[in-house]
Amino acid sequence: MDIKKLPSRTTIVMENFQLHFGMLVFAVAMIWKATVVETKDGGKEFIAENMPWDADIANNDNLEIEFNGRMSGDSVPSCTATVEGVNGGGSQSQNTEHTPTPTHPSIGGTQIQLVTSNIGGSATKYDYAKALELSILFYNAQRSGRLPANNSIPWRGDSAVNDSDDGHDLSGGWYDAGDHVKFNLPMAMSTHILLWGFIKFQDAYKQAGQTNMMCDMIKWPLDYFLKCWIPDAQSYYVQVGDGGADHSYWGRPENMNMNRPAFKVTASNPGSDVAGDTASAFAAGYIVFKTICGDVPYANKLLEASKSIYEFAKNHQGIYSQSVPQAATFYGSTGFKDELSLAAAWLYKATDEERYLNDAKQFHEAGIPWALSWDDKKIAAILLLYEITQDNSYRNDVMTFVRSYKPGGGVNYTPCGLAFRDQWGANRYAANAAFIAVMAAAEGIEQSDFVTWALTQINYILGDNKYHISYEIGFGSKYPEHPHHRGSSCPITTTECNAGDPGPNPNLLKGALVGGPDNQDNYDDRRGDYVKNEVACDYNAGFQGALAGLVHFAITHDLPAAPASKCG
């Protein structure tokens, strides 16, 4: 609905903004600038409240209210919209009858445009497509370097544009978390996971209208990795910034002027884990830019980089955080065979060359992983090997992993139902496991059961929790206001800010997933509590992929009914 061209300053109070459909609609799940407060007539009528900041509309201003309804069947229902309070009184309505063509009738000096469309699919408790859209914005808020003309984050500007080493340009990439260090291990892991979900659930991104945004967002770290990898010198830059010095600075990246040293791995100081992870990102990126984003020359560039950095990782084996001790305190690696197995599997998918599949099997490590994380990619390699080979041994390992996260499987649960693997980024681990569950379901492994379990975790994060809040910032009407994030917490009008300021962050960090509650569901929205309120690139990666998976299963009518919340 587009209410526009108001003749004078007018107050629109939508206390009874109503949508009445001619047939059953399971949910008006995607609605922007309004909140559904009541459902009537068995799912035919929805009453929504307008957001208070849109109540006062000036002359010639636009007020757009977009909504999507989910239903069964292929017919487009009629819809009547009733707006209470236009120009201070009365109710007016506009009907559409099975037509995608906008209409513009005049109502009390106000014009209304209403379009109904049928997206089909299963009903959803939460708007997973909107949550996915917001997650993309979080990654754009993490951008380092000179920002593009289409920068989607108004409070961000150019920063760290002079990152370099001996004249070699290292600008770009993503800041890791609430700080301003660029760590390639978690950045590459995040990039690969995001690309994997994009490949598997292309329909979800299309449905959410986010395909182009995703192509734009994911190219940013890939461009940076291409700068970091120097094949002729057999060297790969893996970190920019000193963690200790960086963590002593609380301010916007735009105002940062400290020394930012760069660290690299080489043939004599190897880093097979970080190089292998980057090879996976490059190979997955090749598939995405060739088949989805439509940039074949760039895709070919990524494939060549994937091949060369994989050979570097394979031929010069070692743990990167032993070669670069400056990374060990923050992202110390425990091994590299999982990253090599995963990289080889991705290169097989990209090239169909048998040697890569042989390598993937050779580097594969037996055993059920503890988690999918920035350090541990075993389950990702196992699932990709199953996708390639359809070997039941890999299938069984995937099933065992997901079942280990389900109730009774060994992972502890909070009273309200979050799989609590670890206090550091509790939401992250649950979301990563949910991502594996929906990816496995897409491969035909325990589809209904695994998707149902994934729903319990993602729904917990989005509101089925003790406080009925969304742990994704900007989703819904209640979410954390004090994330541990320097750029978000510092006003753009000053060069100084205080981490201890009790007020909400002045810049909304849309889409960021905060660390989450403790093992009793307790959560404190306090900036100084970086355990519960930290945000990071790897926190959002599996979460975004899981969201895409749920949208996919909704589109295909395969999304199970939402499990009941354990917290009412």
Side-chain angles (χ1 to χ4, degrees):
M1 176 173 291
D2 182 9
I3 300 176
K4 59 185 180 181
K5 296 182 181 176
L6 300 181
S8 61
R9 191 158 218 28
T10 306
T11 299
I12 306 294
V13 182
M14 292 198 209
E15 294 179 355
N16 288 305
F17 172 66
Q18 300 176 32
L19 298 173
H20 190 91
F21 295 93
M23 59 189 297
L24 178 65
V25 174
F26 292 129
V28 175
M30 289 184 280
I31 186 164
W32 294 265
K33 297 189 178 179
T35 301
V36 174
V37 295
E38 188 176 358
T39 302
K40 295 183 175 181
D41 197 13
K44 290 185 178 180
E45 184 174 348
F46 298 85
I47 299 177
E49 288 184 349
N50 186 35
M51 294 302 182
W53 55 80
D54 282 332
D56 199 18
I57 307 299
N59 185 31
N60 292 322
D61 278 356
N62 293 342
L63 174 60
E64 297 179 357
I65 299 171
E66 304 172 54
F67 65 89
N68 286 332
R70 294 199 175 95
M71 48 175 288
S72 296
D74 298 322
S75 299
V76 179
S78 63
C79 179
T80 300
T82 304
V83 179
E84 295 283 352
V86 177
N87 286 334
S91 65
Q92 310 289 346
S93 64
Q94 160 61 23
N95 299 326
T96 63
E97 295 291 341
H98 301 274
T99 173
T101 304
T103 58
H104 303 272
S106 178
I107 298 180
T110 300
Q111 289 186 326
I112 291 182
Q113 176 186 15
L114 177 61
V115 182
T116 61
S117 63
N118 175 29
I119 62 171
S122 306
T124 63
K125 183 174 184 178
Y126 293 101
D127 186 353
Y128 307 120
K130 184 62 177 179
L132 184 154
E133 175 188 338
L134 289 169
S135 181
I136 291 174
L137 293 177
F138 164 66
Y139 285 104
N140 286 348
Q142 296 299 100
R143 283 174 166 173
S144 178
R146 199 171 302 281
L147 300 187
N150 68 345
N151 171 38
S152 57
I153 310 300
W155 48 271
R156 282 301 323 280
D158 297 347
S159 63
V161 297
N162 295 318
D163 280 354
S164 61
D165 187 53
D166 291 332
H168 182 77
D169 179 21
L170 294 172
S171 61
W174 288 329
Y175 295 124
D176 175 59
D179 56 10
H180 304 135
V181 184
K182 296 187 294 196
F183 292 105
N184 283 36
L185 184 64
M187 195 192 311
M189 176 269 186
S190 303
T191 303
H192 153 253
I193 293 297
L194 289 163
L195 286 162
W196 195 9
F198 194 19
I199 293 167
K200 182 64 69 177
F201 303 124
Q202 297 176 44
D203 58 347
Y205 283 88
K206 182 178 180 180
Q207 180 65 60
Q210 295 299 303
T211 299
N212 291 337
M213 288 293 291
M214 182 61 174
C215 289
D216 182 67
M217 178 270 272
I218 206 64
K219 190 172 184 290
W220 198 262
L222 292 170
D223 283 347
Y224 174 68
F225 297 145
L226 288 171
K227 289 181 178 182
C228 291
W229 169 231
I230 309 173
D232 291 343
Q234 290 287 280
S235 66
Y236 178 53
Y237 286 95
V238 299
Q239 181 178 327
V240 176
D242 177 82
D246 180 272
H247 285 195
S248 68
Y249 166 75
W250 192 275
R252 301 177 68 229
E254 292 81 358
N255 299 328
M256 178 176 56
N257 53 26
M258 69 178 67
N259 181 45
R260 289 174 59 81
F263 307 95
K264 61 186 176 182
V265 294
T266 63
S268 56
N269 291 287
S272 301
D273 32 25
V274 66
D277 240 6
T278 307
S280 293
F282 281 149
Y286 161 76
I287 295 171
V288 161
F289 280 89
K290 181 181 179 181
T291 63
I292 304 175
C293 301
D295 190 341
V296 175
Y298 185 70
N300 291 336
K301 187 176 183 180
L302 294 175
L303 181 58
E304 291 308 307
S306 182
K307 291 177 179 179
S308 59
I309 200 170
Y310 171 73
E311 292 303 322
F312 168 73
K314 177 184 174 181
N315 295 334
H316 308 288
Q317 295 184 15
I319 294 175
Y320 96 107
S321 50
Q322 294 177 357
S323 298
V324 180
Q326 293 84 355
T329 301
F330 304 94
Y331 290 101
S333 174
T334 58
F336 55 79
K337 287 187 176 180
D338 51 336
E339 284 91 357
L340 290 179
S341 178
L342 184 61
W346 272 111
L347 276 163
Y348 176 76
K349 284 184 66 69
T351 67
D352 286 327
E353 294 183 25
E354 202 70 21
R355 64 190 178 100
Y356 291 123
L357 181 55
N358 292 334
D359 280 0
K361 293 177 179 179
Q362 176 186 337
F363 286 120
H364 166 62
E365 297 175 289
I368 305 305
W370 183 79
L372 172 64
S373 73
W374 56 263
D375 183 39
D376 193 342
K377 323 299 184 326
K378 294 185 188 73
I379 190 59
I382 293 167
L383 182 52
L384 200 60
L385 280 167
Y386 173 69
E387 179 183 321
I388 293 167
T389 66
Q390 297 295 295
D391 187 318
N392 280 334
S393 66
Y394 300 127
R395 177 189 176 99
N396 292 337
D397 285 350
V398 171
M399 291 173 63
T400 302
F401 173 82
V402 177
R403 288 172 178 172
S404 74
Y405 270 79
K406 294 182 64 184
V411 175
N412 292 326
Y413 272 72
T414 69
C416 287
L418 183 72
F420 197 84
R421 176 48 95 185
D422 191 73
Q423 67 170 342
W424 291 90
N427 285 334
R428 170 256 314 266
Y429 287 114
N432 284 358
F435 169 71
I436 293 297
V438 297
M439 292 292 282
E443 290 299 318
I445 304 176
E446 301 290 318
Q447 179 178 301
S448 179
D449 186 43
F450 283 8
V451 176
T452 297
W453 178 78
L455 279 169
T456 67
Q457 300 307 293
I458 299 303
N459 287 355
Y460 178 101
I461 289 170
L462 295 180
D464 285 6
N465 52 65
K466 180 177 180 178
Y467 303 96
H468 305 296
I469 66 171
S470 164
Y471 284 112
E472 183 189 28
I473 298 171
F475 184 84
S477 60
K478 188 178 179 183
Y479 43 77
E481 296 181 335
H482 306 79
H484 186 85
H485 187 276
R486 291 156 176 77
S488 170
S489 72
C490 297
I492 63 175
T493 55
T494 181
T495 59
E496 297 181 1
C497 65
N498 184 354
D501 186 337
N505 286 16
N507 306 310
L508 188 62
L509 188 62
K510 292 182 179 179
L513 180 66
V514 300
D518 65 15
N519 62 0
Q520 295 300 309
D521 297 299
N522 298 313
Y523 170 74
D524 185 11
D525 183 11
R526 184 168 50 85
R527 191 177 302 114
D529 187 349
Y530 47 81
V531 176
K532 295 184 177 69
N533 273 315
E534 182 73 280
V535 300
C537 290
D538 74 294
Y539 281 24
N540 267 70
F543 173 63
Q544 183 173 316
L547 291 168
L550 297 181
V551 173
H552 162 78
F553 285 110
I555 293 169
T556 59
H557 299 268
D558 292 320
L559 189 70
S565 169
K566 291 188 175 182
C567 279

